[in-house]
Amino acid sequence: MGNKLNSVIKFDLHIHSIASAYKEDAKIVERSTRENLDVLFSKLNEYKVTLFSITDHNRFDTELYLAINRILSQPDNPYPNVKAVLAGVEFDVKLDNEMDKCHIIAIFDTKNEPSKLKRIESGLQSNLLEDTQAAYPKSEFEQILKRIGLNTILIASQHKDIHNHSGNLNSLSDSTDDVAEIIKVGYINALEFQKPKVEGILINNLKELSLPAPLFSGSDCHEWTCYPYHDKSNRNKEFHHSKAKILPTFKGLLMAVTSPETRFNCCENTNTSII
């Protein structure tokens, strides 16, 4: 973890692998495999991403995570900027059956224990989505989380104003009429955006409603050779990584989520005295 306690680090909790191929163009994830983890690690190291997660669509690849942890545990790790991985899944969920679906990233506290990683995979296998347009009703989503039985941080996608319920963007506001309420009760712990313009809109939304919900940026990278972009034909040149003053652990992320005003997007202390 290094010698610094609660350093300011970059993180990315939205990366896909070939496990997402069932609902994506297979060409963009065909090389995002265990055998090509060196490609992803090289990119993460280049962009100085300390903490990351592989969050596939309604899927979890235990073997992929075990391979990642083997790389991270090497004493001569050739990717010194990359410190840790958190287990995650990107779920398609319908919070309100009368509305559209939204994407919710679940980050699990596994402490990288193989038995806990397998609990995530088996929990999904018990109710696996096969149709590319399918989504879990809220009750089934909650049942899966209960079967997995691990502490979880839930991050909802939000690609527009939270009062916009027009659908089609897999945003939290597409799946519920009252985004503010679902954040206030703690059901959703954070919102994820990808473009600075949307970040500005959401900051204003949260200020208006006096909601302290943290905002994360996620790359949504599918083609690892093009990281931090989605793929070679879909490049979000405005993307920037989120930063937080945390240890690169589940507990560190949880601390940031519960105290966003002091933990997120702060500057590293250089210990320079100015008179």
Side-chain angles (χ1 to χ4, degrees):
M1 294 301 178
N3 296 322
K4 292 185 179 180
L5 181 65
N6 290 347
S7 298
V8 175
I9 65 169
K10 284 183 182 179
F11 62 94
D12 185 357
L13 304 177
H14 194 170
I15 302 172
H16 291 264
S17 78
I18 197 170
S20 290
Y22 92 96
K23 66 173 297 182
E24 297 285 355
D25 179 350
K27 291 180 181 178
I28 66 173
V29 290
E30 64 183 356
R31 293 185 58 79
S32 298
T33 64
R34 291 198 297 274
E35 294 74 21
N36 291 312
L37 275 171
D38 60 317
V39 173
L40 177 61
F41 267 84
S42 293
K43 288 290 189 178
L44 293 171
N45 194 64
E46 176 187 346
Y47 284 90
K48 298 182 179 178
V49 177
T50 301
L51 177 68
F52 73 103
S53 181
I54 304 295
T55 49
D56 284 304
H57 291 294
N58 311 302
R59 298 288 188 273
F60 188 84
D61 185 348
T62 300
E63 293 302 318
L64 175 64
Y65 271 91
L66 293 175
I68 289 170
N69 284 309
R70 282 194 291 271
I71 294 173
L72 290 171
S73 62
Q74 292 176 15
D76 55 345
N77 180 3
Y79 314 103
N81 293 323
V82 189
K83 302 296 185 185
V85 66
L86 295 178
V89 177
E90 183 177 25
F91 288 91
D92 287 89
V93 183
K94 272 197 169 189
L95 296 175
D96 184 334
N97 289 331
E98 303 304 315
M99 298 181 70
D100 210 340
K101 65 183 178 180
C102 66
H103 284 168
I104 298 177
I105 289 175
I107 301 296
F108 297 97
D109 184 13
T110 65
K111 298 180 177 61
N112 296 320
E113 296 175 15
S115 61
K116 291 181 179 178
L117 294 172
K118 290 175 183 175
R119 279 165 63 177
I120 301 172
E121 187 168 4
S122 62
L124 282 163
Q125 289 292 336
S126 63
N127 186 1
L128 205 62
L129 295 182
E130 300 289 355
D131 189 323
T132 59
Q133 300 304 312
Y136 292 107
K138 183 171 177 281
S139 58
E140 291 184 20
F141 170 59
E142 292 169 352
Q143 282 299 317
I144 290 173
L145 296 182
K146 287 178 182 177
R147 276 196 294 272
I148 293 171
L150 298 171
N151 291 331
T152 311
I153 295 170
L154 297 183
I155 307 162
S157 234
Q158 188 61 37
H159 300 295
K160 54 189 176 181
D161 188 297
I162 65 172
H163 305 295
N164 184 337
H165 307 290
S166 60
N168 301 319
L169 289 180
N170 298 313
S171 293
L172 180 61
S173 62
D174 291 329
S175 198
T176 177
D177 275 326
D178 197 343
V179 172
E181 184 62 23
I182 205 166
I183 294 174
K184 282 178 181 177
V185 300
Y187 191 93
I188 294 296
N189 307 113
L191 299 178
E192 184 213 48
F193 65 91
Q194 289 168 3
K195 296 183 178 180
K197 179 180 177 181
V198 175
E199 180 184 16
I201 291 170
L202 295 178
I203 288 172
N204 287 333
N205 287 158
L206 296 175
K207 281 183 178 178
E208 289 169 8
L209 298 168
S210 298
L211 291 175
L215 301 175
F216 296 173
S217 62
S219 67
D220 194 19
C221 175
H222 286 61
E223 192 170 3
W224 292 349
T225 56
C226 300
Y227 185 87
Y229 307 125
H230 186 279
D231 62 86
K232 61 176 174 287
S233 62
N234 185 354
R235 295 172 181 262
N236 175 14
K237 295 295 182 69
E238 298 178 336
F239 174 77
H240 65 269
H241 291 89
S242 283
K243 296 179 181 180
K245 188 178 181 182
I246 58 172
L247 286 172
T249 61
F250 180 89
K251 186 177 180 179
L253 182 64
L254 183 61
M255 287 178 66
V257 165
T258 54
S259 53
E261 294 174 348
T262 58
R263 292 280 178 176
F264 279 103
N265 299 317
C266 45
C267 298
E268 185 68 272
N269 182 5
T270 59
N271 294 317
T272 300
S273 299
I274 300 173
I275 299 177

